[in-house]
Amino acid sequence: MSDDLQALYEQAGQSPFDVVLDLGSVRYINSSHLARLLKLRKQMITAGGRLMLCAVDPQVWSTFLVTGLDKVFEFSDAVPTALATLQIAGEATTERSN
């Protein structure tokens, strides 16, 4: 997971884009992973993108709750829902700018 987050971080500063991270197979998340996710989120917001986490395992979800990060990150139940949410938000932003 660390390598994937680092690769996303390096790409996030190059151009604005949205990312959906499917955490369905992640059963444990440590403080290093949380720090990388926070760093990635900040980089993406600065570049004009969004980060959405989905399919979060109950044990991992409890870590987000205990740390208060459930209020910081955007979450979705499944990848298709996350993609649709980002697409709708992007269309709404485009319509407002026209």
Side-chain angles (χ1 to χ4, degrees):
M1 182 169 165
S2 294
D3 293 339
D4 293 335
L5 291 176
Q6 184 61 36
L8 279 172
Y9 179 78
E10 290 169 4
Q11 293 175 6
Q14 296 173 8
S15 64
F17 60 91
D18 299 327
V19 170
V20 173
L21 284 179
D22 182 353
L23 299 179
S25 63
V26 176
R27 301 290 178 246
Y28 173 79
I29 193 164
N30 62 31
S31 60
S32 175
H33 295 137
L34 291 174
R36 287 179 186 258
L37 282 169
L38 285 166
K39 188 176 173 183
L40 174 61
R41 178 184 172 273
K42 182 178 178 182
Q43 176 87 356
M44 294 195 67
I45 289 172
T46 301
R50 289 174 64 187
L51 173 65
M52 188 169 287
L53 309 179
C54 64
V56 179
D57 179 85
Q59 185 171 339
V60 173
W61 177 246
S62 67
T63 302
F64 282 104
L65 289 173
V66 168
T67 59
L69 293 175
D70 61 310
K71 294 170 183 60
V72 173
F73 290 99
E74 292 184 77
F75 295 92
S76 180
D77 292 336
V79 172
T81 307
L83 292 171
T85 300
L86 292 172
Q87 182 178 8
I88 290 168
E91 289 172 359
T93 301
T94 301
E95 288 176 9
R96 281 187 292 229
S97 65
N98 288 334

